Amino acid sequence: MEDHQIVELYFQRNADAIKETDSKYGSYCFAIANNILHNNEDSEECVNDTWFNAWNAMPPQRPNVLRMFLAKITRNLSFNRYESRKAEKRGGGEIHIVLDELAECIANESDTENEYIAKELEESIRLFVRELPDREGDIFIRRYFFTEPVSVIAKRYSMTENHVMVVLSRTRKKLKANLEKEGYFR
Amino acid sequence: MNRKDLYQSFNTIDDDILERSEIRKKKANSVWIKWGTIAACICLMVWGVIPLAYNIFGVKGGYGTQDDFPTEIALIYFQGALYECCDVKEGLERVGLPSEITADMAGEHVAYLELGGVVSYQETLQQTDKELLQYAPAPTRAVYILRDGDNYMAALFCRTYFPDDPEAYCDLAEVYRFFNISGGSDIASIAQTDWNRGKVAGTKVTEPSVIEEFYALTTDITKFVSLGNDEFQSIVFDGIPEEEQQEAHNAFADDLQVIRIETKDGFYFYLEYYPNYGFLESGHAMAYHTVTPELMLWFEKNMDIK
């Protein structure tokens, strides 16, 4: 079924919407969740929660790209679950390494002013990624949005892992410089 | 701001950019496409890579000072092999090197290099300020030190490469030779790692007699046959309907078990084992090796991989 037809089912409040979404994007969303959680049971629950959230969001929202709409929900839910599971000291796969790598982009980690800068930071990241050269941006997204292992990214783009790591390292430095320039570390 | 804020802020990336990262999947099914078709890409690489070399090695003021950071990787063609330059901590550690390359690690002079040739650097008889040096702690053909002016980085063996036959592959024994392995006693351990090649995630074999058996099984060219990518693709994926190809490739990828070989010198290199398909893949060799029943049994018995 085409995406627009699935979205229409949501708008008709037809329960088949979830069945069709699960059939088309179940394994896709599971992969996103499992990259973060590294736990089949938790990942499956996050995927089910994704359908529930999508059901609540549509309508009124009408996503342009259904797959990415679902990907974002799954990513959010999975990260929240990772946070709660971390408190219970279980779960978490690739996300540990990804978060450590992102820490390199920050001068001094702090929990202050989160509310204040969250929206601005989101916009900065959005523009930063948009302005990256295509391949650099793609690799950066696969790592820090989709939380994919370096080896998987290397396979995806027919690159060596060393090359992927070099690209990621340099793009992180570039992001750090960009965040510094925008005054996030004052 | 903390790392979690940063991670979460990626959620507002535009959908079209996220989509693009999915669409730009490789068209063929091997990680080697870039290398396999390197001859066709040489002209692209020359313009793509040489500027990086300049950026990295300070001709325009030094790496880290540029507005546009380089993302290409510098390549060296030297004596039938391609080497990738590496100055990234994760990349260095993954092959068993220290996280930073410094001048004191440079050993004997191996060759002078010049910018240009089929990739970024090539050997020259003229004395230049760019040279390939041995890695002093453990000289090998698999790891060199590249000095460009005052900058030092690692040159890591990528694959054997012959300009006349860019798609030529080799046996695993040839890869062993690059890493100074001429017998089982030159291998310190064989371990299963996670997908990132970061951590040992399964059994680590260190028993010399067991390692010797592995070496013998993977160097017996009468049984342990090497195939190029085309032959491999043909055997595994030909005959599968187009609509089922993606699923077939996903299933193949899911079967992957990463095997890390640790040399007695402390270097790591990796093989990819697909137990349900009976193939052992080596990126360095550009080959898929057919796994014999004896080798399959070895993995099952010693590493519990079935």
Side-chain angles (χ1 to χ4, degrees):
Chain A
M1 185 178 278
E2 296 295 320
D3 283 0
H4 69 88
Q5 293 172 303
I6 296 175
V7 171
E8 211 45 56
L9 288 176
Y10 279 100
F11 273 74
Q12 292 164 3
R13 310 312 288 162
N14 185 334
D16 283 349
I18 290 177
K19 194 180 87 184
E20 293 295 337
T21 311
D22 187 42
S23 163
K24 190 167 182 182
Y25 293 118
S27 58
Y28 177 79
C29 289
F30 179 85
I32 292 172
N34 208 36
N35 277 342
I36 296 171
L37 294 162
H38 205 60
N39 177 298
N40 287 354
E41 191 184 333
D42 283 350
S43 300
E44 277 165 20
E45 284 179 24
C46 275
V47 172
N48 288 332
D49 289 348
T50 299
W51 308 156
F52 179 71
N53 276 254
W55 179 261
N56 287 336
M58 294 183 284
Q61 289 190 66
R62 188 180 284 275
N64 289 325
V65 184
L66 179 63
R67 189 164 76 252
M68 293 311 150
F69 178 75
L70 300 169
K72 286 177 178 178
I73 295 175
T74 306
R75 184 179 186 268
N76 251 342
L77 291 171
S78 303
F79 189 70
N80 290 341
R81 185 170 290 241
Y82 158 75
E83 285 285 90
S84 61
R85 289 292 182 258
K86 199 177 63 168
E88 297 168 22
K89 294 187 190 289
R90 72 182 181 93
E94 198 64 27
I95 186 70
H96 293 302
I97 310 167
V98 164
L99 289 175
D100 283 347
E101 288 173 5
L102 285 177
E104 291 174 21
C105 306
I106 301 168
N108 295 300
E109 286 204 77
S110 158
D111 287 327
T112 59
E113 298 184 3
N114 281 350
E115 295 288 324
Y116 177 69
I117 63 168
K119 288 285 168 205
E120 287 178 26
L121 181 62
E122 285 175 357
E123 185 61 7
S124 292
I125 296 297
R126 191 184 72 79
L127 291 174
F128 174 79
V129 172
R130 180 162 277 287
E131 285 167 9
L132 287 172
D134 286 4
R135 187 173 64 166
E136 191 180 342
D138 291 346
I139 293 168
F140 205 61
I141 285 166
R142 297 319 300 181
R143 184 67 173 156
Y144 300 115
F145 181 89
F146 290 100
T147 327
E148 284 184 351
V150 167
S151 56
V152 172
I153 301 170
K155 289 264 186 197
R156 178 183 289 277
Y157 296 122
S158 302
M159 297 166 72
T160 63
E161 291 173 30
N162 178 39
H163 195 167
V164 171
M165 285 185 285
V166 167
V167 171
L168 288 172
S169 172
R170 293 187 179 138
T171 312
R172 287 197 303 271
K173 287 187 171 86
K174 192 173 182 178
L175 174 60
K176 185 178 183 184
N178 194 67
L179 293 174
E180 274 173 351
K181 193 171 138 196
E182 296 193 357
Y184 283 95
F185 306 143
R186 282 194 200 114
Chain B
M1 184 190 359
N2 58 36
R3 64 189 79 186
K4 291 173 204 161
D5 298 326
L6 193 52
Y7 181 80
Q8 287 179 305
S9 67
F10 278 72
N11 233 37
T12 53
I13 292 172
D14 297 322
D15 288 353
D16 63 317
I17 302 282
L18 294 175
E19 280 259 274
R20 189 193 64 201
S21 79
E22 310 238 302
I23 294 164
R24 286 163 60 88
K25 275 188 174 180
K26 61 186 185 286
K27 290 195 172 52
N29 302 308
S30 168
V31 71
W32 305 330
I33 295 306
K34 181 178 124 188
W35 300 114
T37 56
I38 199 163
C41 299
I42 280 169
C43 53
L44 283 174
M45 297 183 77
V46 165
W47 68 256
V49 174
I50 288 177
L52 163 70
Y54 280 106
N55 283 336
I56 287 178
F57 300 116
V59 173
K60 291 181 185 172
Y63 166 58
T65 65
Q66 308 297 306
D67 286 336
D68 54 335
F69 283 59
T71 53
E72 289 295 342
I73 197 158
L75 296 174
I76 301 166
Y77 171 63
F78 180 64
Q79 293 188 346
L82 284 175
Y83 293 83
E84 287 186 327
C85 300
C86 183
D87 61 348
V88 175
K89 176 175 168 282
E90 300 95 311
L92 295 169
E93 289 176 348
R94 194 175 289 207
V95 295
L97 287 168
S99 56
E100 190 183 355
I101 300 297
T102 50
D104 60 304
M105 295 173 195
E108 286 181 23
H109 167 86
V110 176
Y112 287 111
L113 301 173
E114 62 183 3
L115 291 172
V118 293
V119 283
S120 312
Y121 293 93
Q122 64 182 0
E123 187 176 5
T124 175
L125 295 175
Q126 304 296 318
Q127 185 170 340
T128 67
D129 67 342
K130 302 165 181 56
E131 62 179 328
L132 214 51
L133 303 147
Q134 283 185 341
Y135 175 61
T140 163
R141 286 172 66 206
V143 175
Y144 289 115
I145 301 292
L146 171 66
R147 180 185 70 80
D148 192 323
D150 295 330
N151 297 286
Y152 290 82
M153 63 196 313
L156 306 176
F157 170 54
C158 190
R159 58 158 292 203
T160 53
Y161 176 72
F162 300 96
D164 293 342
D165 188 4
E167 298 192 39
Y169 53 90
C170 67
D171 295 323
L172 200 50
E174 179 67 9
V175 175
Y176 286 157
R177 282 191 281 275
F178 271 83
F179 285 91
N180 286 350
I181 295 171
S182 54
S185 60
D186 295 323
I187 297 174
S189 71
I190 302 169
Q192 189 177 5
T193 73
D194 61 16
W195 270 28
N196 259 332
R197 285 91 166 119
K199 293 178 189 159
V200 173
T203 310
K204 183 175 177 180
V205 176
T206 53
E207 171 59 40
S209 62
V210 178
I211 292 176
E212 192 64 60
E213 191 186 353
F214 178 86
Y215 177 82
L217 289 169
T218 54
T219 50
D220 180 357
I221 55 169
T222 61
K223 294 178 183 167
F224 189 65
V225 179
S226 303
L227 302 175
N229 183 47
D230 289 348
E231 292 167 283
F232 159 77
Q233 296 286 341
S234 165
I235 290 170
V236 178
F237 297 112
D238 271 9
I240 296 173
E242 184 63 33
E243 63 274 17
E244 293 172 22
Q245 282 282 336
Q246 187 61 48
E247 199 178 330
H249 282 95
N250 288 345
F252 182 74
D254 287 344
D255 197 37
L256 168 66
Q257 308 290 330
V258 180
I259 308 297
R260 186 188 76 185
I261 309 291
E262 179 186 10
T263 74
K264 67 174 183 203
D265 295 323
F267 297 123
Y268 300 141
F269 66 96
Y270 300 85
L271 304 172
E272 299 189 339
Y273 178 37
Y274 298 90
N276 289 302
Y277 294 80
F279 282 100
L280 192 66
E281 179 187 352
S282 164
H284 292 303
M286 289 277 290
Y288 287 88
H289 311 281
T290 52
V291 175
T292 57
E294 293 87 350
L295 184 54
M296 213 172 268
L297 194 64
W298 185 95
F299 277 117
E300 194 174 327
K301 193 171 128 193
N302 300 299
M303 302 190 81
D304 199 26
I305 301 176
K306 297 170 187 166

